[in-house]
Amino acid sequence: MKKKVVIAGNGFASLFFIMYFLASPAFPFFAWFIRRIHSRYDITVIGNGVFVYIPAIPGFLTGKRNKAGITVDIRPFLQRRNIRFVEGQVTDVRDNGRTVITDRGTYTNDALFLGTGPSFRKDDIPGTEEHTYSPCYGPDDMERFMAKLASLDGGIVYIGFKINKTDGFVAGRTGPMYECVCLLDYALRKRGVRDQFEIHFFSPNRNPGEKGVLTDRLREREIILDDGYAPVEFVEGAWSIRTALSAKLIWCSIRRK
């Protein structure tokens, strides 16, 4: 009898798991037939069926990337590998992982793989959910930010990050926000309006007067460094970008602690 394997989520982690889980046949054309006959596992993937290449989202700032270019329907990929796909959202896991509850039904398993991604801390700083945008929220959020930016001829832009260390470890990386601030500088110069914008880069996890190659590159681009503090709140009328690490791109009034 085949073992039941349930995979929750269809992002990077789940797809890598699938590729390592299933041996590639010598003749990919016969993959569906071979796995139907010989596979020892009955695999079910629960997700939205759309894979988003998140690392490319900062490229929206230069116009070289867009939502259509970084999203892929993975259902044909799964079908070729004889993997059942369920379009739904996991709402609960019971019986020590053996039972998965979704908004489309209940699925039992012999092995469960969770690849559902991070949970964003939108309650960490008041006003985050209402007044911030983030490349890590996905392409739709980034496109809304780009529409905001395109409507401006000038202003003050704050970009930064705050690392979540509450759980005793750091899950994620701050690199995307350094990428965003440099790409924003490039995009505004290309539009010919860079001198109309004041760009700030801040983080409570950076020390005032910090030195290094990244810091030198930011100064070369005339980006103002406001290190060593975090916003107390985001206020009405502001807008910003925020990542899974509590990183933000903000144009608003900010009160220091």
Side-chain angles (χ1 to χ4, degrees), residues 77-192:
F77 168 87
L78 298 175
Q79 186 178 18
R80 289 194 298 271
R81 286 153 179 81
N82 196 33
I83 296 172
R84 182 186 300 107
F85 173 73
V86 174
E87 186 170 352
Q89 183 175 4
V90 175
T91 58
D92 197 6
V93 176
R94 300 176 184 173
D95 305 327
N96 293 322
R98 299 289 69 81
T99 303
V100 177
I101 313 297
T102 77
D103 55 357
R104 298 294 179 90
T106 300
Y107 300 87
T108 59
N109 66 82
D110 297 299
L112 172 63
F113 181 86
L114 294 177
T116 53
S119 176
F120 300 101
R121 301 194 62 200
K122 296 184 180 181
D123 58 346
D124 185 39
I125 299 173
T128 295
E129 186 168 6
E130 299 85 357
H131 307 304
T132 70
Y133 297 93
S134 170
C136 291
Y137 291 170
D140 291 333
D141 211 62
M142 191 66 172
E143 285 188 341
R144 284 192 287 271
F145 168 73
M146 293 305 300
K148 262 308 192 189
L149 185 63
S151 69
L152 298 174
D153 294 322
I156 302 173
V157 181
Y158 273 75
I159 302 179
F161 62 84
K162 177 184 177 185
I163 299 175
N164 172 21
K165 295 182 178 179
T166 352
D167 299 321
F169 69 97
V170 177
R173 58 193 180 91
T174 61
M177 296 319 291
Y178 287 97
E179 186 179 3
C180 279
V181 72
C182 291
L183 288 177
L184 176 64
D185 171 75
Y186 171 83
L188 294 177
R189 291 182 189 278
K190 190 175 179 181
R191 275 176 55 187

Side-chain angles (χ1 to χ4, degrees), residues 57-62 135 142 145-146 149 156-161 174-190 194 197-203 206 213-227 241-243 247-250:
I57 289 182
F60 283 35
L61 286 161
T62 63
M142 191 66 172
F145 168 73
M146 293 305 300
L149 185 63
I156 302 173
V157 181
Y158 273 75
I159 302 179
F161 62 84
T174 61
M177 296 319 291
Y178 287 97
E179 186 179 3
C180 279
V181 72
C182 291
L183 288 177
L184 176 64
D185 171 75
Y186 171 83
L188 294 177
R189 291 182 189 278
K190 190 175 179 181
R194 176 63 179 90
F197 284 85
E198 189 175 291
I199 302 177
H200 292 246
F201 191 76
F202 71 94
S203 171
R206 285 173 52 92
V213 175
L214 286 175
T215 301
D216 292 343
R217 299 294 82 79
L218 297 178
R219 288 199 175 103
E220 285 176 4
R221 290 169 170 78
E222 299 181 332
I223 293 165
I224 300 168
L225 301 178
D226 293 328
D227 295 325
I241 245 184
R242 181 179 176 90
T243 75
K248 323 142 188 87
L249 169 57
I250 308 146

